[in-house]
Amino acid sequence: VDGIADAGGRRELFGPLPPLDPDEPAFPAPWHGRAFALTLLANRTATASNLHALRHALERVPREHYLASYWGRWVRAAELVLAESGLLAPGAVDARIAGVDLPDPEPAPRANPGAAPGNLRHVTARPRHAVGTSVVAASAAVPGHTRLPAYARGRRGTVTAVLPAQVTPDVAAHFGGEAPQHVYAVAFASTELWGPGEEFTVTVDLLESYLAPA
Amino acid sequence: VSAERTAALEALLVERGLADEATIERFITTYETAVGPLNGARVVARAWTDPDYRARLLADGTAAIAELGFSGPQGEHMVVLESTPEVHHVVVCTLCSCYPWPVLGLPPSWYKDPAYRARVVREPRAVLAEWGTVVGDDVEVRVVDSSSEVRYLVLPERPASTAGLTEEELVPLVTRDAMVGVTRVVAP
């Protein structure tokens, strides 16, 4: 989906970088660790640990909450997957903070597309693109979940590696099954992405369905 | 505010049997103690001192990292990127916060920061310079966006002045930030 989570190149997010702290612990505050554990546990029951569905929930967290705090964003995403699976009423956490318990809704069971662990899959069809060939990324915005960053849309790049085939996040996030396909590392020149200026490359890992020969 | 929300969510999940204290503690303890950047530092120090291991690591990162006992979630397929005097690699996840957990643990705050995720694919030299890493115009900068389930680890350059150090002595010099590519390893 188009939104604040798709951060690459987005000028409105430009600003000073936080300091590097080599000694930063995994969880700087105690509630960070609890938010991490609770979100994974919530997602385990709500979606059978469908990571793509969790990422899609994260990118639908409203902008002000998304930007307010990283682990706060995880808690909001957990609330979303719990509500969408019928495990908690929408607004149950706000109600609890206010001292009110909402009745649980009817559970909304779904077919589980991520039952098999992991995301690497075997695909019998041969990869469509070879290392060294030119490809162009799809130019249309996608209403649901996708792993094609907006900054690469419609841009021409070069395949630098054929990566292991993987589950398609665009399908799995919406509980549509695994739909595995080939994945490619595609290098884009900075000038292709951003116009004249500093020269460098950005390599993005892209699904075969995002790409056409160029 | 978020601490209060987390506590409220926890109460709701525990009451429904969807979470319990022992499991929560196990998740936290794993990433506070067992899984962190020390794992990646061991991989890098081995690669710096064992040319055969280095070759295996660059050819098949997943298998070579597993030789040292590191594997698990967010490390299904590992690719190791070798930085050299000619090529500097830096890794980001512009879409969320994908990071190679088995070798680096959970990502630090700066890696998850929207400013880093927005800027590094558009002005990488400025980002690196802001953190004190000056990359000359004669060095090729390769930014790698972790947009699939492949996870990347940067093999930083070994400082020339560490030639006499052993693998064990090298491990503490290898930082998390260097293994993402935003800094270089500096000799003591």
Side-chain angles (χ1 to χ4, degrees):
Chain A
V1 289
D2 277 2
I4 198 70
D6 189 354
R10 204 180 260 267
R11 286 276 184 203
E12 63 179 305
L13 295 174
F14 278 37
L17 301 165
L20 299 178
D21 175 6
D23 299 320
E24 183 183 311
F27 304 114
W31 72 267
H32 295 174
R34 304 195 84 77
F36 169 69
L38 291 166
T39 301
L40 294 184
L41 288 171
N43 202 50
R44 178 186 286 179
T45 307
T47 75
S49 297
N50 181 330
L51 185 60
H52 311 288
L54 180 59
R55 288 199 187 117
H56 187 47
L58 279 161
E59 62 196 19
R60 287 180 292 146
V61 170
R63 180 193 171 93
E64 67 273 23
H65 297 144
Y66 185 96
L67 293 176
S69 134
Y70 179 78
W71 291 114
R73 181 190 310 166
W74 275 53
V75 170
R76 298 272 177 179
E79 292 178 52
L80 202 52
V81 296
L82 288 164
E84 288 175 350
S85 61
L87 290 166
L88 275 188
V93 172
D94 284 310
R96 180 70 177 222
I97 291 168
V100 177
D101 277 323
L102 299 181
D104 285 347
E106 288 295 311
R110 279 180 290 230
N112 167 33
N119 284 281
L120 307 187
R121 297 292 181 268
H122 180 71
V123 169
T124 46
R126 293 186 57 77
R128 188 175 175 203
H129 308 290
V131 170
T133 57
S134 288
V135 289
V136 61
S139 55
V142 175
H145 183 61
T146 187
R147 297 294 290 182
L148 170 57
Y151 71 82
R153 277 188 212 146
R155 305 299 179 181
R156 182 188 297 246
T158 304
V159 174
T160 58
V162 180
L163 299 168
Q166 300 176 28
V167 170
T168 299
D170 312 43
V171 176
H174 301 282
F175 303 93
E178 296 194 336
Q181 54 173 312
H182 292 294
V183 181
Y184 306 85
V186 180
F188 296 90
S190 54
T191 48
E192 168 73 5
L193 296 174
W194 313 114
E198 181 185 340
E199 291 197 5
F200 54 94
T201 61
V202 181
T203 300
V204 190
D205 294 347
L206 298 173
L207 301 175
E208 191 162 85
S209 59
Y210 300 162
L211 300 171
Chain B
V1 177
S2 289
E4 187 183 31
R5 267 199 111 66
T6 308
L9 176 67
E10 180 173 334
L12 291 167
L13 292 180
V14 169
E15 285 164 11
R16 284 157 183 77
L18 303 179
D20 63 90
E21 184 60 29
T23 310
I24 294 168
E25 282 297 328
R26 197 174 71 242
F27 274 99
I28 294 172
T29 307
T30 298
Y31 288 95
E32 278 184 338
T33 58
V35 183
L38 181 60
N39 295 0
R42 292 194 182 286
V43 171
V44 169
R46 175 69 56 88
W48 280 351
T49 52
D50 180 341
D52 290 340
Y53 182 77
R54 181 176 158 281
R56 293 201 298 282
L57 183 67
L58 294 173
D60 183 347
T62 320
I65 287 166
E67 282 180 41
L68 301 195
F70 310 131
S71 62
Q74 298 299 308
E76 256 187 296
H77 186 81
M78 291 292 311
V79 171
V80 176
L81 307 165
E82 183 184 32
S83 283
T84 66
E86 293 79 36
V87 179
H88 186 96
H89 291 95
V90 57
V91 180
V92 64
C93 175
T94 65
L95 295 173
C96 51
S97 52
C98 296
Y99 196 71
W101 292 6
V103 280
L104 296 184
L106 297 182
S109 297
W110 65 259
Y111 185 84
K112 304 177 287 195
D113 195 280
Y116 174 71
R117 293 165 48 215
R119 290 177 58 191
V120 76
V121 294
R122 195 157 184 165
E123 47 172 28
R125 285 183 176 82
V127 165
L128 295 170
E130 200 166 314
W131 279 326
T133 306
V134 177
V135 180
D137 288 341
D138 56 331
V139 177
E140 182 186 342
V141 172
R142 293 185 193 164
V143 182
V144 175
D145 192 349
S146 311
S147 50
S148 83
E149 294 307 315
V150 173
R151 294 290 171 268
Y152 293 95
L153 179 74
V154 172
L155 175 59
E157 283 177 70
R158 177 176 178 173
S161 60
T162 64
L165 298 187
T166 65
E167 181 179 337
E168 281 306 308
E169 290 167 333
L170 289 166
V171 169
L173 303 184
V174 184
T175 63
R176 160 167 65 198
D177 302 337
M179 291 183 281
V180 185
V182 296
T183 59
R184 296 191 180 94
V185 174
V186 276

